Structures are given as C-alpha cells and as structure tokens.
Amino acid sequence: AHRAVRAAIRAGAEPGAIRRLLASCGLPTADLTGELAPRFLGAFDGETLAGVVGLEIYEEAGLLRSLAVDPRSGGGGLGGRLLAAAEACAREEGVAALYLLTMTAEPFFRSRGYRRVPREEAPPAIRGTSEFSSLCPQAAAFLVKELSAPAA
C-alpha cells in the first residue's frame, strides 16, 4: 500500500524544495526564479514534498509543466492525482486547452486524454514561453488536451 495516494495536494511548496525535486527528476529549473511565476501544486506526505506540478496560464491557453513525483513516493497514482488537480485549477481559471512538452511521459499523458500535435500549432502565448522556446528540446513531444468548462 502506497502512502503517496493519501498525500495532500495544495499550493505553497517551498521554492527550494520544488527546484530540488525537479532537478532530481531531470526536469528544467533554469527559468524558476524569484517567486516561481508558474503556479505550483505540491503533493505533501506530512510536510515532505512528494510530488509537484506547475501551471502557467495565458488566458484560454495553459502550459502544464514540471510534473514530477519523488521516486520514493512513486507508483501510488500520485502523478495522476497531481495532473487532475492541475486540470481542475486550469478549468477554474477559464483555460480551454492545456498544452505540455515531454521527453519521457507521452504514454502517461496520452492515456489521460492528451493528444500529440505539431509544435507549429502552439498558440503564440505558449510559443513565447521559455519552456517551449529554449528549455525543452525540439525532439520533445508537444501534446494538448481540450478542457471542458467547469460544471456550474
């Protein structure tokens, strides 16, 4: 039984802890300065950061980034829970489509309703992000998921 499944998901993770977890998972941190412009949701096992996901919102387009789970906490569905929480947050903010770039997790995202699209189809706001323009290699898969409006 994995304890991670019961981890509490909330905002407010300490920036240094976010950077350390992302770096340990081989994800970019170069643009994470100051107050961490993208919103990050953390999954906490007690006070320990077990997973994290970032969300950048550009009106109706959102960029999902930096979904990472501590390998010691993995396997308990925590990545899926973090993704669902980020999608819910994006929906509440009026995001119609959520985009992401990945080198290694395309099957994970495809199994959750994302589809691969050519990078040229990225909206200008997404193309302008450092994640899209410089941090993620051209070989990264570019995926999108259309989000339904939040239930009234």
Side-chain angles (χ1 to χ4, degrees):
H2 290 276
R3 289 176 34 188
V5 175
R6 293 193 305 274
I9 296 178
R10 59 178 167 80
E14 193 271 314
I18 292 172
R19 285 190 197 89
R20 284 189 297 275
L21 180 55
L22 294 179
S24 75
C25 293
L27 293 171
T29 60
D31 64 329
L32 301 182
T33 57
E35 293 301 306
L36 297 183
R39 285 173 222 192
F40 276 89
L41 295 173
F44 294 86
D45 185 2
E47 290 303 307
T48 303
L49 185 63
V52 69
V53 64
L55 187 60
E56 296 181 29
I57 295 176
Y58 304 95
E59 296 181 10
E60 292 190 354
L63 180 67
L64 186 82
R65 58 170 295 162
S66 310
L67 175 60
V69 174
D70 186 317
R72 295 167 296 193
S73 305
L78 192 52
R81 285 190 52 221
L82 280 162
L83 178 61
E87 288 175 357
C89 181
R91 252 185 226 102
E92 288 167 14
E93 296 287 336
V95 170
L98 204 49
Y99 296 86
L100 66 95
L101 290 149
T102 182
M103 289 296 292
T104 58
E106 186 174 357
F108 170 84
F109 290 107
R110 288 178 73 108
S111 72
R112 287 158 176 84
Y114 288 78
R115 61 186 172 82
R116 191 168 187 161
V117 292
R119 283 174 84 117
E120 301 77 53
E121 290 184 18
I126 301 297
R127 278 201 300 267
T129 65
S130 56
E131 176 107 342
F132 188 92
S133 62
S134 61
L135 292 177
C136 284
Q138 284 294 320
F142 182 57
L143 295 103
V144 63
K145 180 177 183 177
E146 281 81 23
L147 300 179
S148 54

